[in-house]
PDB file of all heavy atoms in Angstrom:
ATOM      1  N   GLY D  15      95.268 -54.316 -43.612  1.00 92.00           N
ATOM      2  CA  GLY D  15      94.897 -54.779 -42.279  1.00 92.00           C
ATOM      3  C   GLY D  15      94.217 -56.130 -42.249  1.00 92.00           C
ATOM      4  O   GLY D  15      93.567 -56.476 -41.257  1.00 92.00           O
ATOM      5  N   ALA D  73     139.038 -72.361 -45.369  1.00 98.00           N
ATOM      6  CA  ALA D  73     137.751 -72.079 -44.723  1.00 98.00           C
ATOM      7  C   ALA D  73     136.667 -71.800 -45.750  1.00 98.00           C
ATOM      8  O   ALA D  73     135.526 -72.272 -45.619  1.00 98.00           O
ATOM      9  CB  ALA D  73     137.895 -70.893 -43.766  1.00 98.00           C
ATOM     10  N   GLY D  88     135.477 -59.235 -43.295  1.00 97.00           N
ATOM     11  CA  GLY D  88     136.672 -58.756 -43.981  1.00 97.00           C
ATOM     12  C   GLY D  88     136.465 -58.610 -45.465  1.00 97.00           C
ATOM     13  O   GLY D  88     137.399 -58.753 -46.267  1.00 97.00           O
ATOM     14  N   ALA D 102     118.970 -45.712 -49.218  1.00 98.00           N
ATOM     15  CA  ALA D 102     118.360 -45.415 -50.517  1.00 98.00           C
ATOM     16  C   ALA D 102     117.256 -46.415 -50.843  1.00 98.00           C
ATOM     17  O   ALA D 102     116.179 -46.044 -51.328  1.00 98.00           O
ATOM     18  CB  ALA D 102     119.426 -45.419 -51.611  1.00 98.00           C
ATOM     19  N   ILE D 111     102.807 -46.445 -53.031  1.00 97.00           N
ATOM     20  CA  ILE D 111     102.820 -47.488 -54.056  1.00 97.00           C
ATOM     21  C   ILE D 111     102.598 -46.900 -55.437  1.00 97.00           C
ATOM     22  O   ILE D 111     103.267 -47.274 -56.406  1.00 97.00           O
ATOM     23  CB  ILE D 111     101.760 -48.564 -53.751  1.00 97.00           C
ATOM     24  CG1 ILE D 111     102.108 -49.272 -52.443  1.00 97.00           C
ATOM     25  CG2 ILE D 111     101.666 -49.567 -54.898  1.00 97.00           C
ATOM     26  CD1 ILE D 111     101.065 -50.286 -52.001  1.00 97.00           C
ATOM     27  N   ALA D 112     101.673 -45.941 -55.538  1.00 96.00           N
ATOM     28  CA  ALA D 112     101.375 -45.343 -56.842  1.00 96.00           C
ATOM     29  C   ALA D 112     102.609 -44.682 -57.446  1.00 96.00           C
ATOM     30  O   ALA D 112     102.794 -44.695 -58.671  1.00 96.00           O
ATOM     31  CB  ALA D 112     100.245 -44.333 -56.704  1.00 96.00           C
ATOM     32  N   LYS D 140     101.616 -71.133 -56.230  1.00 89.00           N
ATOM     33  CA  LYS D 140     101.366 -70.171 -55.162  1.00 89.00           C
ATOM     34  C   LYS D 140     102.216 -68.915 -55.345  1.00 89.00           C
ATOM     35  O   LYS D 140     103.303 -68.950 -55.914  1.00 89.00           O
ATOM     36  CB  LYS D 140     101.689 -70.804 -53.802  1.00 89.00           C
ATOM     37  CG  LYS D 140     100.811 -72.011 -53.467  1.00 89.00           C
ATOM     38  CD  LYS D 140      99.350 -71.625 -53.350  1.00 89.00           C
ATOM     39  CE  LYS D 140      98.483 -72.796 -52.941  1.00 89.00           C
ATOM     40  NZ  LYS D 140      97.061 -72.412 -52.797  1.00 89.00           N
ATOM     41  N   VAL D 180     131.152 -54.528 -55.376  1.00 98.00           N
ATOM     42  CA  VAL D 180     130.829 -55.956 -55.328  1.00 98.00           C
ATOM     43  C   VAL D 180     131.514 -56.704 -56.469  1.00 98.00           C
ATOM     44  O   VAL D 180     131.927 -57.853 -56.307  1.00 98.00           O
ATOM     45  CB  VAL D 180     129.298 -56.166 -55.361  1.00 98.00           C
ATOM     46  CG1 VAL D 180     128.963 -57.660 -55.444  1.00 98.00           C
ATOM     47  CG2 VAL D 180     128.651 -55.567 -54.121  1.00 98.00           C
ATOM     48  N   ALA D 184     133.689 -59.973 -55.991  1.00 98.00           N
ATOM     49  CA  ALA D 184     133.418 -61.220 -56.710  1.00 98.00           C
ATOM     50  C   ALA D 184     134.707 -61.828 -57.254  1.00 98.00           C
ATOM     51  O   ALA D 184     134.922 -63.046 -57.170  1.00 98.00           O
ATOM     52  CB  ALA D 184     132.426 -60.968 -57.841  1.00 98.00           C
ATOM     53  N   SER D 185     135.580 -60.998 -57.824  1.00 97.00           N
ATOM     54  CA  SER D 185     136.857 -61.504 -58.344  1.00 97.00           C
ATOM     55  C   SER D 185     137.702 -62.122 -57.229  1.00 97.00           C
ATOM     56  O   SER D 185     138.332 -63.171 -57.412  1.00 97.00           O
ATOM     57  CB  SER D 185     137.639 -60.375 -59.024  1.00 97.00           C
ATOM     58  OG  SER D 185     137.085 -60.047 -60.270  1.00 97.00           O
ATOM     59  N   GLY D 194     140.954 -73.109 -53.765  1.00 98.00           N
ATOM     60  CA  GLY D 194     140.402 -74.177 -52.942  1.00 98.00           C
ATOM     61  C   GLY D 194     140.233 -75.484 -53.700  1.00 98.00           C
ATOM     62  O   GLY D 194     140.185 -76.566 -53.102  1.00 98.00           O
ATOM     63  N   LEU D 202     138.356 -69.877 -62.308  1.00 97.00           N
ATOM     64  CA  LEU D 202     136.894 -69.800 -62.322  1.00 97.00           C
ATOM     65  C   LEU D 202     136.395 -68.531 -63.000  1.00 97.00           C
ATOM     66  O   LEU D 202     135.429 -68.570 -63.771  1.00 97.00           O
ATOM     67  CB  LEU D 202     136.342 -69.915 -60.899  1.00 97.00           C
ATOM     68  CG  LEU D 202     136.502 -71.293 -60.251  1.00 97.00           C
ATOM     69  CD1 LEU D 202     136.009 -71.257 -58.798  1.00 97.00           C
ATOM     70  CD2 LEU D 202     135.746 -72.366 -61.035  1.00 97.00           C
ATOM     71  N   LYS D 223     118.693 -57.102 -56.852  1.00 98.00           N
ATOM     72  CA  LYS D 223     117.281 -57.274 -56.507  1.00 98.00           C
ATOM     73  C   LYS D 223     117.091 -56.868 -55.047  1.00 98.00           C
ATOM     74  O   LYS D 223     117.722 -57.431 -54.151  1.00 98.00           O
ATOM     75  CB  LYS D 223     116.840 -58.718 -56.710  1.00 98.00           C
ATOM     76  CG  LYS D 223     115.353 -58.945 -56.448  1.00 98.00           C
ATOM     77  CD  LYS D 223     114.950 -60.368 -56.866  1.00 98.00           C
ATOM     78  CE  LYS D 223     113.449 -60.561 -56.636  1.00 98.00           C
ATOM     79  NZ  LYS D 223     113.173 -61.627 -55.679  1.00 98.00           N
ATOM     80  N   PRO D 257     115.665 -60.720 -39.572  1.00 95.00           N
ATOM     81  CA  PRO D 257     116.013 -62.052 -40.088  1.00 95.00           C
ATOM     82  C   PRO D 257     114.931 -62.602 -41.007  1.00 95.00           C
ATOM     83  O   PRO D 257     113.831 -62.059 -41.102  1.00 95.00           O
ATOM     84  CB  PRO D 257     116.135 -62.889 -38.811  1.00 95.00           C
ATOM     85  CG  PRO D 257     115.211 -62.220 -37.837  1.00 95.00           C
ATOM     86  CD  PRO D 257     115.309 -60.742 -38.141  1.00 95.00           C
ATOM     87  N   GLY D 258     115.247 -63.685 -41.670  1.00 96.00           N
ATOM     88  CA  GLY D 258     114.284 -64.325 -42.561  1.00 96.00           C
ATOM     89  C   GLY D 258     114.905 -65.380 -43.459  1.00 96.00           C
ATOM     90  O   GLY D 258     114.219 -66.275 -43.932  1.00 96.00           O
ATOM     91  N   HIS D 262     118.965 -74.820 -46.488  1.00 96.00           N
ATOM     92  CA  HIS D 262     118.739 -76.247 -46.229  1.00 96.00           C
ATOM     93  C   HIS D 262     120.090 -76.930 -46.095  1.00 96.00           C
ATOM     94  O   HIS D 262     120.927 -76.874 -47.008  1.00 96.00           O
ATOM     95  CB  HIS D 262     117.922 -76.864 -47.365  1.00 96.00           C
ATOM     96  CG  HIS D 262     117.210 -78.109 -46.964  1.00 96.00           C
ATOM     97  ND1 HIS D 262     117.613 -79.359 -47.369  1.00 96.00           N
ATOM     98  CD2 HIS D 262     116.115 -78.311 -46.165  1.00 96.00           C
ATOM     99  CE1 HIS D 262     116.804 -80.273 -46.863  1.00 96.00           C
ATOM    100  NE2 HIS D 262     115.885 -79.663 -46.133  1.00 96.00           N
ATOM    101  N   GLY D 265     119.549 -81.971 -44.269  1.00 93.00           N
ATOM    102  CA  GLY D 265     118.179 -82.420 -44.129  1.00 93.00           C
ATOM    103  C   GLY D 265     117.261 -81.515 -43.348  1.00 93.00           C
ATOM    104  O   GLY D 265     116.085 -81.849 -43.150  1.00 93.00           O
ATOM    105  N   TRP D 267     116.106 -77.181 -42.212  1.00 94.00           N
ATOM    106  CA  TRP D 267     116.200 -75.756 -42.484  1.00 94.00           C
ATOM    107  C   TRP D 267     116.938 -75.065 -41.348  1.00 94.00           C
ATOM    108  O   TRP D 267     116.596 -75.238 -40.184  1.00 94.00           O
ATOM    109  CB  TRP D 267     114.808 -75.141 -42.660  1.00 94.00           C
ATOM    110  CG  TRP D 267     114.171 -75.519 -43.954  1.00 94.00           C
ATOM    111  CD1 TRP D 267     113.159 -76.417 -44.156  1.00 94.00           C
ATOM    112  CD2 TRP D 267     114.524 -75.015 -45.249  1.00 94.00           C
ATOM    113  NE1 TRP D 267     112.857 -76.507 -45.504  1.00 94.00           N
ATOM    114  CE2 TRP D 267     113.678 -75.658 -46.198  1.00 94.00           C
ATOM    115  CE3 TRP D 267     115.460 -74.090 -45.703  1.00 94.00           C
ATOM    116  CZ2 TRP D 267     113.742 -75.400 -47.561  1.00 94.00           C
ATOM    117  CZ3 TRP D 267     115.528 -73.844 -47.061  1.00 94.00           C
ATOM    118  CH2 TRP D 267     114.681 -74.485 -47.972  1.00 94.00           C
ATOM    119  N   GLY D 291     129.982 -80.018 -59.189  1.00 97.00           N
ATOM    120  CA  GLY D 291     129.321 -80.369 -57.945  1.00 97.00           C
ATOM    121  C   GLY D 291     130.182 -80.287 -56.706  1.00 97.00           C
ATOM    122  O   GLY D 291     129.685 -80.533 -55.587  1.00 97.00           O
ATOM    123  N   GLY D 300     113.044 -67.565 -48.017  1.00 97.00           N
ATOM    124  CA  GLY D 300     112.883 -66.390 -47.173  1.00 97.00           C
ATOM    125  C   GLY D 300     111.566 -66.446 -46.417  1.00 97.00           C
ATOM    126  O   GLY D 300     110.509 -66.613 -47.034  1.00 97.00           O
ATOM    127  N   LEU D 301     111.629 -66.320 -45.105  1.00 98.00           N
ATOM    128  CA  LEU D 301     110.429 -66.300 -44.270  1.00 98.00           C
ATOM    129  C   LEU D 301     109.977 -64.871 -44.013  1.00 98.00           C
ATOM    130  O   LEU D 301     110.701 -63.911 -44.270  1.00 98.00           O
ATOM    131  CB  LEU D 301     110.692 -67.017 -42.943  1.00 98.00           C
ATOM    132  CG  LEU D 301     111.142 -68.475 -43.024  1.00 98.00           C
ATOM    133  CD1 LEU D 301     111.197 -69.075 -41.621  1.00 98.00           C
ATOM    134  CD2 LEU D 301     110.243 -69.291 -43.931  1.00 98.00           C
ATOM    135  N   CYS D 315     125.699 -62.508 -59.288  1.00 98.00           N
ATOM    136  CA  CYS D 315     126.864 -62.414 -60.167  1.00 98.00           C
ATOM    137  C   CYS D 315     126.756 -63.520 -61.214  1.00 98.00           C
ATOM    138  O   CYS D 315     126.844 -64.710 -60.887  1.00 98.00           O
ATOM    139  CB  CYS D 315     128.132 -62.567 -59.342  1.00 98.00           C
ATOM    140  SG  CYS D 315     129.648 -62.509 -60.305  1.00 98.00           S
ATOM    141  N   LEU D 324     128.829 -73.141 -70.110  1.00 96.00           N
ATOM    142  CA  LEU D 324     129.026 -73.645 -68.751  1.00 96.00           C
ATOM    143  C   LEU D 324     129.178 -75.159 -68.789  1.00 96.00           C
ATOM    144  O   LEU D 324     128.295 -75.873 -69.277  1.00 96.00           O
ATOM    145  CB  LEU D 324     127.839 -73.269 -67.869  1.00 96.00           C
ATOM    146  CG  LEU D 324     127.610 -71.774 -67.609  1.00 96.00           C
ATOM    147  CD1 LEU D 324     126.321 -71.565 -66.821  1.00 96.00           C
ATOM    148  CD2 LEU D 324     128.790 -71.153 -66.874  1.00 96.00           C
ATOM    149  N   GLU D 329     140.191 -79.671 -65.796  1.00 94.00           N
ATOM    150  CA  GLU D 329     141.195 -80.101 -64.819  1.00 94.00           C
ATOM    151  C   GLU D 329     140.593 -80.914 -63.676  1.00 94.00           C
ATOM    152  O   GLU D 329     141.273 -81.744 -63.050  1.00 94.00           O
ATOM    153  CB  GLU D 329     141.940 -78.889 -64.248  1.00 94.00           C
ATOM    154  CG  GLU D 329     142.840 -78.177 -65.249  1.00 94.00           C
ATOM    155  CD  GLU D 329     142.108 -77.108 -66.038  1.00 94.00           C
ATOM    156  OE1 GLU D 329     140.859 -77.191 -66.178  1.00 94.00           O
ATOM    157  OE2 GLU D 329     142.774 -76.175 -66.530  1.00 94.00           O
ATOM    158  N   ALA D 341     125.637 -81.532 -68.301  1.00 95.00           N
ATOM    159  CA  ALA D 341     125.803 -81.347 -69.732  1.00 95.00           C
ATOM    160  C   ALA D 341     126.130 -79.883 -70.024  1.00 95.00           C
ATOM    161  O   ALA D 341     125.655 -78.986 -69.315  1.00 95.00           O
ATOM    162  CB  ALA D 341     124.524 -81.745 -70.460  1.00 95.00           C
ATOM    163  N   ASP D 359     106.426 -78.857 -63.838  1.00 55.00           N
ATOM    164  CA  ASP D 359     106.023 -79.351 -62.523  1.00 55.00           C
ATOM    165  C   ASP D 359     104.652 -78.802 -62.132  1.00 55.00           C
ATOM    166  O   ASP D 359     103.828 -79.521 -61.556  1.00 55.00           O
ATOM    167  CB  ASP D 359     107.056 -78.951 -61.466  1.00 55.00           C
ATOM    168  CG  ASP D 359     108.354 -79.718 -61.597  1.00 55.00           C
ATOM    169  OD1 ASP D 359     108.367 -80.740 -62.321  1.00 55.00           O
ATOM    170  OD2 ASP D 359     109.355 -79.291 -60.997  1.00 55.00           O
TER     171      ASP D 359
END
Side-chain angles (χ1 to χ4, degrees):
I111 296 176
K140 297 297 183 179
V180 175
S185 286
L202 291 176
K223 184 172 182 241
H262 202 254
W267 287 105
L301 302 187
C315 179
L324 295 175
E329 292 88 336
D359 289 346

